[in-house]
Amino acid sequence: MSHSKKNTVMFYCQHVLGMGHVIRSLEIIHALKSFDVTFINGGAALPELRLPPFANMINLPAISSDGEFETLRHDDSSQSLEQIQGERRDLLLSTFATLQPDVLILELFPFGRIRFANELIPLLARIRLNAAPTTVVCSLRDILVGKSDQVRHEAWVCSLMNRYFNLLLVHSDPRFQQLAETFSRTQDLTCPVVYTGFVAQPVEPKPFAELPGIPETPKDSPLIVVSIGGGRVGYELLESAIKAKLLLAATVPCRMVVFTGPYLPQEQFDALQILTQEHPQLSLIRYSPDFLSYLNLADLSISMAGYNTCMNLVATNTKALVLPFKGRGNEEQTIRAKKLEALGIVRIISEDNLKPENLGTLVTDLLNNPAQDTALSLDTQGATKTASVLESFLKQRHRTPMTQAQSVPSSTKSTPDWQRELTHSLNALQESGKIIQLFLRDDDIDSDEDTLRTLCDITLSRGIPLNLEVIPGNLTPSTIRFLKNLKRINPSLIELDQHGWRHTNHEQEGRKCEFGASRNFQEQLQDIARGKALLEDALAERFFPVFTPPWNRGTADTFRALDELGFLVLSKDRGKQAVTGYRFREISTTLDLYQWKTGPSMKSPMVIAKALDSQFNELETIGLLLHHKVMDAEAFSFLDALLKLLRACSCIHFHTFQTLLTIPEPAVSLAGSR
């Protein structure tokens, strides 16, 4: 009897502050019974996670944030944040390569988790480049957090969604909250947008006796459950609730269980223990996977207004007081709480009511009055609906031929001769112990072209730096936005440099040149300075003062102008004699992948492989010159395979010009070069 293979899901979730994103993701995973699931946890490990038998978990080196979302943190003092991020990126790519999942689900990204784009975009790029039959899905909660530059942010989200994603799942009841209320460009998304309903945990009723920590006295008195999710924020609510309970001890006897969250700092937990000691009607619990069972028995809940807590309140129909989190002007919980209050499901705690005596009054009022009838029965079947949507979507994709244009065709099974040749060269290099410094330079950046994006996809997905030479006078606004986002997200993998002024030929005869013999020093200085000023204004600190002359040609006046304007690097085609005697350093390319005499055409892979072999022996620094404007699918496929081989060789170190400047100039003669 044959059994069909189960579809596989790779589910990425990054929590930086609370537990809500993980809890919601796990609830969805429990519903994916027809899939094999690998859960990628990017935040701190959570205690007592209950994964279903068809799922396993991989913990990335954990990254978290402070309560104001200002600073990313990690626990490994032996490594920098940048090193941790690189390790995470490589682990994601290798995990994907091993699993080759049918579905990749990214929780919240790209609508949020922007600071994790440096590990996620390479993964998305690899899927697109490989033409892999992986359905890429964004899993999104009901309400988004506003950004300081909302217009720019929404444009960026649309560009990523439309390039890399196949499906958007919004975990909301559209009668309650629609995506367009906090994301104005919903209509610009080209992938299907499906509302699943809210993701809510099922209630598993348990008796008091099976739930440790519930005070036994005062007997048969109301039970109040206080919680703040993960515990990184909300201490003030716990403290106020406990003090309010103590104030009410004589007039409103009740029991209180306080869930502090696993991430509450130890010193704050100790302070609460001191506050609750000698009060048997009060108990502290850091975390319990049975939290919902406690809430189901409660007569009143006091909590924050996060997605999961609110869905728990809906599921248990527990009376509730909620305090919306407002860090950095975050309105997400306020929006949700106000809508739930209008439905009679919760009552909001204002900042004034957070004082213990005022909070005590609210507690008394809710305990003494019957619950309101809710005006709307919310759809809370989001997990089950998510599973069914994914199953249907996969069936439809499998029936429909792949039509998405892919820039890089999948590789053939047989190993090409050039790969065998280069592998032999790399093995010899490895045995010699020689270190090669290698950089990639791509010229003629002006328009926001798909070939440019494809080139960036290749280098980012291989974790290899790319130096982009920008033509200032031809730069379009859309390209400026693209380059700024690219550099912001991948600061160590992208460098933005200057490529002439307008890439205009000024020579009446002979070889083309923008800064040639027909132009005097002042003319050259003026154009180079105009270009530098434009890039400094458009790109700000993202611009690095490297100058690449169009057609790789310049004169002594060019070099004098660069020196006067404070450029740090000149990069052209490597000549027989180095340019010296200036404050800048020449770091020029050594191998152009194209020949130009009869029009642009890529050199044969074997010619490139043999040239690299020769340069491994002769040089210490190698620069590969790329040309995205003339590269086709075959060229991109070759480059991707080439970089894969080079990246696997530990004796090859990849650089931007900026990092090359930290390495002393090799004392190597340039004699004999072309």
Side-chain angles (χ1 to χ4, degrees), residues 520-531:
N520 63 37
F521 170 73
Q522 286 300 328
E523 290 172 330
Q524 295 199 36
L525 178 70
Q526 180 180 3
D527 276 0
I528 296 172
R530 291 166 67 189

Side-chain angles (χ1 to χ4, degrees), residues 598-610:
T598 58
S601 63
M602 193 180 79
K603 297 172 182 174
S604 76
M606 183 59 78
V607 167
I608 294 171
K610 287 185 177 296

Side-chain angles (χ1 to χ4, degrees), residues 53-122:
F54 52 82
N56 64 85
M57 180 164 61
I58 295 176
N59 287 305
L60 300 177
I63 292 179
S64 62
S65 176
D66 65 321
E68 293 295 316
F69 299 100
E70 292 282 356
T71 306
L72 292 182
R73 300 169 173 172
H74 65 93
D75 297 328
D76 187 352
S77 59
S78 67
Q79 297 190 82
S80 67
L81 177 62
E82 184 177 320
Q83 288 172 320
I84 291 288
Q85 290 172 325
E87 184 179 337
R88 285 166 56 104
R89 180 190 66 235
D90 292 345
L91 182 54
L92 280 171
L93 287 167
S94 63
T95 300
F96 178 84
T98 300
L99 293 175
Q100 290 295 307
D102 298 288
V103 181
L104 171 68
I105 301 177
L106 300 183
E107 199 274 336
L108 188 58
F109 186 81
F111 294 87
R113 299 293 182 260
I114 298 171
R115 283 180 289 182
F116 295 87
N118 52 23
E119 67 188 28
L120 294 176
I121 290 181

